[in-house]
Amino acid sequence: MFQKIRLVNRRSSLFYAWAEVDWWLMVSCISLTLFAGIMIRSVELNQGLTDWWQHWVTGAVGLILALIFSRCRYERLVKWKWVIYGVTNLSLIAVQIIGTTALGAQRWINIAGFHVQPSEFAKVGIIITLAALLQELRSPNLGDMIRILAIAAVPWGLVFIEPNLGTSLVFGAITVGMMYWGNIHPGWLILLVSPVITAIVFNVSLPAGIVWAILMGFVGWWSLPLRWLTGPLALLANLGAGQLSHILWNVLQDYQKQRLIGFLNPEQDPLGSGYHLIQSRIAIGSGQLYGRGLYQGTQTQLNFIPEQHTDFIFSAVGEELGFIGCIAVLALFWFICLRLVIIAQTAKDSFGSLIVIGVLCMLLFQVFVNIGMNIGLAPVTGIPLPFLSYGRSALLSNWIAIGIVQSVANHRQRIKF
């Protein structure tokens, strides 16, 4: 009897190490990874490839890493922030020196026969660094925001020159989202992204661009110091950005312009820049409500969409599982985001809360852009769909991020009676 009690106590103490882990979040991520293997197998069924089981193996390794990270105390990462930041930048510099080139970009490093993409892990590194810096700020001022942007700009620039536009956009989403959660003035953040919006609006409609620039002048007057000076400067800066966009647009080559606006009218180049979008929309549309059935999609099984197992895996879901399958995937992503918000709100300190928000911004932005480009609402930028798209580095980095989030959940203050 005594030995049985001791055995039960040992078991309870073993699982006590994960007592506060958010198992709803963990099960959701596991479900997406398992489902991804099924869909990747469907895409590759007639190609003789076996990436689907490799996705599961990578996911299993990622799950183990997540469980290990969830037991470690995330607070210890604060003292390692500059080491993590340095390793992140060095890995991105190494890509430029010893990286391998594929599909027109130099993004990978060959390590023991495996192609590792440092930019994927850099997303986790910048989340930890920014969270450690932002949690130190009690009343952030404009100088603090500029310092944060300067720190984030180094890895962002290294990723951008690979070139890797998609991941660099993710860096921007992470930085802006975390600064907002870190109490940076929302007006400053609006002014930060306003030149990009201005450039787009000016090229769509000149009157709308002028109205937007005037609105940004009012935002500058409202949020910046020396408002009677900085307000007009914000107005002039946005008007200048609008004019500069016309100059930069004329500098671009025709094929570069086509890549940027091809999603608006892909039929203009159906065999070139618009090919992926057209075929993806055909696949998703042909799925209708219930889909053609697993392994039954014509676009998917006849390989009409190149590299469908990576960035365009959602089109396979739409064709073979239909609207119901797409809604199920979106609902699962929504639930993951909900659990992340809950963990961020209940974290015991701002450092943990900022980490979770960084991971939320990373996943949410990738989901919106990837699904947007699958249905023709966003340009093709090479952003993978979290947990679903095939890619060892992307999947491992997502699981590591979830593991750190689970550490934040697992080490919340427990209520004792």
Side-chain angles (χ1 to χ4, degrees):
M1 181 67 178
F2 179 69
Q3 291 181 346
K4 183 181 292 186
I5 292 174
R6 286 183 58 189
L7 182 60
V8 171
N9 288 337
R10 285 179 180 176
R11 287 177 178 174
S12 62
S13 63
L14 174 64
F15 290 106
Y16 183 76
W18 292 282
E20 299 297 320
V21 162
D22 191 323
W23 290 108
W24 287 110
L25 174 62
M26 193 71 84
V27 169
S28 299
C29 296
I30 293 172
S31 300
L32 279 177
T33 305
L34 292 174
F35 176 69
I38 296 173
M39 296 312 304
I40 292 171
R41 183 177 186 272
S42 176
V43 170
E44 299 180 342
L45 193 62
N46 296 315
Q47 301 179 31
L49 301 176
T50 57
D51 288 344
W52 65 273
W53 68 264
Q54 294 181 26
H55 188 84
W56 280 352
V57 171
T58 305
V61 174
L63 175 60
I64 294 171
L65 290 174
L67 291 173
I68 293 173
F69 275 105
S70 65
R71 288 197 59 174
C72 302
R73 301 198 71 88
Y74 69 93
E75 305 100 311
R76 297 174 182 173
L77 294 172
V78 173
K79 64 177 66 175
W80 294 96
K81 61 179 181 293
W82 293 121
V83 175
I84 294 172
Y85 182 72
V87 171
T88 297
N89 289 323
L90 287 175
S91 66
L92 295 174
I93 293 172
V95 172
Q96 302 299 321
I97 300 173
I98 60 173
T100 58
T101 302
L103 301 177
Q106 189 169 333
R107 304 174 184 173
W108 296 267
I109 296 177
N110 194 321
I111 301 177
F114 293 95
H115 285 83
V116 179
Q117 190 171 356
S119 60
E120 291 294 335
F121 299 99
K123 292 184 289 190
V124 181
I126 198 63
I127 288 173
I128 296 172
T129 303
L130 293 183
L133 294 173
L134 287 167
Q135 62 95 26
E136 298 173 353
L137 306 177
R138 294 297 174 261
S139 298
N141 54 43
L142 195 58
D144 293 327
M145 187 187 80
I146 294 174
R147 184 168 67 95
I148 295 295
L149 289 174
I151 291 170
V154 177
W156 176 87
L158 291 171
V159 171
F160 185 78
I161 64 176
E162 288 183 357
N164 192 341
L165 175 61
T167 304
S168 65
L169 292 175
V170 178
F171 270 71
I174 291 171
T175 303
V176 173
M178 292 183 69
M179 287 196 298
Y180 173 77
W181 196 258
N183 291 324
I184 298 293
H185 198 297
W188 302 346
L189 299 179
I190 293 173
L191 291 173
L192 178 64
V193 301
S194 65
V196 177
I197 300 176
T198 301
I200 297 173
V201 175
F202 260 82
N203 281 281
V204 174
S205 171
L206 181 59
I210 294 175
V211 172
W212 172 260
I214 294 173
L215 179 61
M216 290 304 99
F218 280 109
V219 172
W221 179 86
W222 164 64
S223 62
L224 294 172
L226 302 173
R227 55 179 57 181
W228 295 109
L229 174 62
T230 53
L233 285 177
L235 169 62
L236 292 175
N238 279 274
L239 290 174
Q243 294 301 315
L244 184 61
S245 66
H246 291 297
I247 298 173
L248 294 177
W249 181 257
N250 292 327
V251 171
L252 294 177
Q253 300 294 325
D254 290 339
Y255 77 92
Q256 293 174 320
K257 296 178 182 179
Q258 193 60 39
R259 285 183 179 179
L260 292 173
I261 64 172
F263 77 100
L264 298 174
N265 187 11
E267 286 76 13
Q268 286 184 348
D269 189 13
L271 298 179
S273 61
Y275 181 78
H276 276 83
L277 293 175
I278 293 172
Q279 298 302 324
S280 178
R281 290 195 307 191
I282 292 174
I284 294 174
S286 64
Q288 299 186 28
L289 183 60
Y290 298 105
R292 292 177 173 270
L294 194 62
Y295 311 137
Q296 302 299 318
T298 54
Q299 302 295 112
T300 299
Q301 299 306 317
L302 296 177
N303 305 323
F304 275 96
I305 307 175
E307 304 294 332
Q308 190 179 13
H309 64 307
T310 55
D311 299 340
F312 282 85
I313 192 67
F314 189 76
S315 64
V317 177
E319 181 179 29
E320 299 193 341
L321 301 180
F323 179 77
I324 300 298
C326 292
I327 290 298
V329 170
L330 289 173
L332 204 50
F333 276 123
W334 171 84
F335 186 71
I336 289 173
C337 292
L338 176 64
R339 301 311 302 177
L340 290 174
V341 171
I342 292 173
I343 295 173
Q345 291 180 328
T346 57
K348 69 180 182 180
D349 56 24
S350 58
F351 177 59
S353 182
L354 283 162
I355 286 178
V356 180
I357 289 300
V359 175
L360 171 64
C361 293
M362 177 184 75
L363 297 179
L364 190 61
F365 183 80
Q366 291 183 113
V367 169
F368 268 100
V369 175
N370 180 276
I371 294 179
M373 71 185 191
N374 270 259
I375 61 179
L377 295 180
V380 179
T381 56
I383 292 180
L385 189 58
F387 299 103
L388 282 181
S389 293
Y390 177 79
R392 287 186 287 255
S393 296
L395 184 58
L396 280 178
S397 67
N398 289 334
W399 272 113
I400 290 172
I402 292 298
I404 299 174
V405 167
Q406 293 289 14
S407 175
V408 176
N410 198 31
H411 293 93
R412 289 175 288 192
Q413 298 292 340
R414 297 186 178 93
I415 301 176
K416 297 181 180 180
F417 297 95

